[in-house]
């Protein structure tokens, strides 16, 4: 039943505007109880990533957080909206200068029920306690996501099945980029 509702809300979207994408996410009006059957544990990674819907124009992802922080990352050429279903989240935004290490410049907090925007090419990192549940709607589906490892001073373009962490599986590392440290 919920999957049918998702399809009804998202199938009509073709190249949605930023506001059109937000309205579609709000129209889903997803509850914890509707999403609970899709939740799986993820103790080794920052979150379990469940694809709930994908067309050539949009994708809907559910993320069940383990309490580990994700890595700073962008969403390739996608933009999207993130809704906090359960828990509270810190969203840290980074500045990125050409081939340099990202630099944190602002941190915002969102409570259960709130939504926030992830612009195209912006770099962010999310943190939340175990049990945080977030719903993500992106247009177009994420491809070419870049993940940053601040300790390695490197970035990695990851495969579409990888989340916001440095991939252990070599097949998920499409391109590794050595970065320069930001000047002081």
């Amino acid at each position: 039943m919920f999957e049918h509702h998702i399809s009804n809300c998202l199938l009509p979207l073709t190249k949605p505007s930023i506001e059109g994408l937000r309205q579609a996410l709000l129209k889903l009006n997803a509850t914890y109880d509707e999403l609970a059957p899709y939740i799986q544990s993820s103790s080794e990674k920052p979150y379990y990533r469940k694809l709930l819907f994908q067309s050539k124009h949009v994708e809907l992802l559910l993320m069940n957080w383990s309490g580990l922080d994700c890595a700073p990352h962008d969403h390739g050429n996608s933009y999207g909206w993130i809704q906090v279903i359960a828990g509270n989240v810190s969203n840290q935004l980074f500045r990125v200068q050409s081939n340099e290490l990202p630099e944190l410049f602002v941190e915002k907090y969102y409570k259960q029920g709130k939504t926030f925007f992830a612009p195209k090419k912006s770099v962010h990192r999310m943190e939340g306690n175990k049990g945080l549940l977030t719903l993500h709607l992106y247009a177009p589906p994420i491809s070419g996501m870049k993940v940053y490892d601040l300790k390695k001073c490197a970035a990695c373009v990851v495969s579409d099945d990888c989340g916001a962490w440095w991939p252990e599986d070599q097949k998920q590392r499409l391109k590794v980029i050595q970065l320069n440290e930001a000047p002081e």
Side-chain angles (χ1 to χ4, degrees):
M1 185 71 183
F2 184 61
E3 291 158 354
H4 184 68
H5 175 62
I6 291 172
S7 292
N8 284 343
C9 290
L10 302 183
L11 265 177
L13 296 178
T14 57
K15 298 181 183 176
S17 67
I18 292 169
E19 182 58 22
L21 196 66
R22 185 177 82 83
Q23 289 300 321
L25 181 60
L26 295 175
K27 185 178 177 183
L28 284 173
N29 198 27
T31 66
Y32 185 90
D33 289 342
E34 289 169 323
L35 297 169
Y38 306 101
I39 296 172
Q40 291 188 27
S41 177
S42 177
S43 58
E44 297 171 9
K45 304 282 186 216
Y47 53 81
Y48 172 75
R49 180 180 187 264
K50 173 68 176 169
L51 179 65
L52 297 176
F53 177 88
Q54 188 175 56
S55 70
K56 71 180 195 176
H57 302 286
V58 299
E59 73 178 352
L60 181 68
L61 296 162
L62 177 65
M63 295 180 189
N64 180 47
W65 294 76
S66 67
L68 300 172
D69 305 339
C70 71
H73 64 282
D74 66 19
H75 298 117
N77 287 314
S78 301
Y79 59 91
W81 285 93
I82 300 164
Q83 184 176 33
V84 182
I85 302 298
N88 299 309
V89 68
S90 160
N91 185 44
Q92 301 169 344
L93 302 174
F94 291 79
R95 281 192 188 97
V96 179
Q97 301 289 329
S98 67
N99 206 32
E100 293 177 0
L101 203 58
E103 185 178 8
L104 178 67
F105 76 93
V106 71
E107 183 172 17
K108 296 183 178 184
Y109 297 90
Y110 299 93
K111 296 180 178 184
Q112 182 174 327
K114 298 297 181 183
T115 58
F116 58 97
F117 184 61
K120 188 186 293 189
K121 293 292 183 188
S122 72
V123 174
H124 78 130
R125 171 174 59 202
M126 293 172 58
E127 297 179 0
N129 293 332
K130 186 173 182 172
L132 172 65
L133 190 65
T134 54
L135 195 58
H136 304 240
L137 182 59
Y138 298 106
I142 295 173
S143 184
M145 180 169 77
K146 190 182 292 181
V147 174
Y148 294 85
D149 186 315
L150 303 179
K151 290 178 185 167
K152 292 180 181 178
C153 202
C156 182
V157 177
V158 298
S159 60
D160 297 350
D161 64 338
C162 187
W165 52 79
W166 195 267
E168 293 171 18
D169 184 347
Q170 185 67 37
K171 293 176 192 168
Q172 291 183 317
R173 293 183 217 158
L174 302 181
K175 180 180 180 183
V176 176
I177 306 156
Q178 193 61 47
L179 301 172
N180 302 316
E181 296 214 24
E184 295 187 26

